[in-house]
Amino acid sequence: LAQSTIWGHLISCIAMGKLKAEELVSAEKISLIRETQRKLHVTKAKPLKEQLPLEISYEEIRCVLAEMEKTN
C-alpha cells in the first residue's frame, strides 16, 4: 500500500469518528492548524499549508480538517 492510501484511510476514519486527530498529530500541530484555519476562514489544505511551518504535512492538516468538519 502507498503511504497516501494509508493516510486516506486514516483520514476517513477520523471523519467517521473511529479515530481522533490527536492519535496521529501532535497537540502543538493541531493547535497551530486550528488557529491558522480560524484566521484564514478556509476549509482546504493548500491555503493552510502555505501559511504553516514546513514540518506540518498536508496529511496532518487533512486529519485536523476532517475532525473539525465532523464536529461542525
Side-chain angles (χ1 to χ4, degrees):
L1 290 173
Q3 189 176 18
S4 60
T5 302
I6 295 167
W7 274 108
H9 290 300
L10 292 170
I11 292 164
S12 292
C13 287
I14 291 171
M16 291 185 287
K18 294 180 179 183
L19 279 176
K20 294 185 178 216
E22 293 83 14
E23 296 178 76
L24 302 170
V25 183
S26 73
E28 180 181 314
K29 287 181 179 180
I30 290 171
S31 293
L32 193 52
I33 293 166
R34 287 181 177 163
E35 179 182 319
T36 304
Q37 190 278 333
R38 281 191 289 270
K39 286 180 184 176
L40 298 178
H41 304 287
V42 295
T43 57
K44 301 290 185 191
K46 186 173 181 173
L48 292 171
K49 178 69 174 148
E50 291 171 349
Q51 297 299 312
L52 290 163
L54 293 175
E55 65 267 9
I56 297 179
S57 70
Y58 274 105
E59 292 82 5
E60 291 169 318
I61 295 168
R62 289 186 184 112
C63 285
V64 175
L65 289 176
E67 190 162 86
M68 291 174 75
E69 289 175 15
K70 179 179 65 76
T71 57
N72 287 338

